[in-house]
Amino acid sequence: MSRRHRKSAAALVYDAQSSEFAPRVVAKGYGLVAEMIIQRAKEAGLYVHEAPEMVSLLMQVDLDSRIPPQLYQAVAELLYATFLERATHFLAVNDEAAAIVDYQAAVDLLVEDTSEAQQKLIELTSQTSP
């Protein structure tokens, strides 16, 4: 089976508090390796996004390299959705501090519309302020 038809996966690491601007590709592979990447991410409670087009682009980035500027917007939008999803989870388990961190990270991303994260951040910080 050709690589085109085998499952592929790429893993990114991004620290919103870091001085590094761009996420880094920390794992990638095809077939069994791809399945292991996905399994380990899920076991670790990490967000797994399945977008073949994005994975295809990330597979072209060298391992342990930062993503290129051409991918910033697409990855920022993915991270925005990830931060919103995690923040919602944190609220569901009554961890407002963690939710605030993720909403702030979402607001800080350079995406077109951060209004949802901004509104939630305002609501949470006004509730926790003395």
Side-chain angles (χ1 to χ4, degrees), residues 13 16-17 21 23 52 54 69-70 78 82 95 100 107 109 120-121:
V13 66
Q17 307 302 318
F21 179 72
M54 177 65 74
Q70 301 89 324
L78 175 65
T82 302
D95 189 348
I100 289 170
V107 168
L109 288 168
K120 291 288 189 179
L121 188 58

Side-chain angles (χ1 to χ4, degrees), residues 37-88:
I37 290 168
I38 293 167
Q39 178 184 351
R40 291 204 176 155
K42 287 180 178 179
E43 287 171 357
L46 299 174
Y47 182 76
V48 175
H49 181 77
E50 299 196 29
E53 306 81 19
M54 177 65 74
V55 173
S56 176
L57 293 170
L58 292 172
M59 293 300 284
Q60 298 173 38
V61 178
D62 290 336
L63 194 57
D64 206 35
S65 294
R66 303 249 170 235
I67 63 166
Q70 301 89 324
L71 294 181
Y72 286 176
Q73 188 63 38
V75 171
E77 290 172 12
L78 175 65
L79 289 171
Y80 180 78
T82 302
F83 285 132
L84 287 184
E85 184 175 310
R86 282 187 1 170
T88 300

Side-chain angles (χ1 to χ4, degrees), residues 14-27:
Y14 175 71
D15 180 0
Q17 307 302 318
S18 169
S19 62
E20 298 291 336
F21 179 72
R24 193 166 36 94
V25 175
V26 293

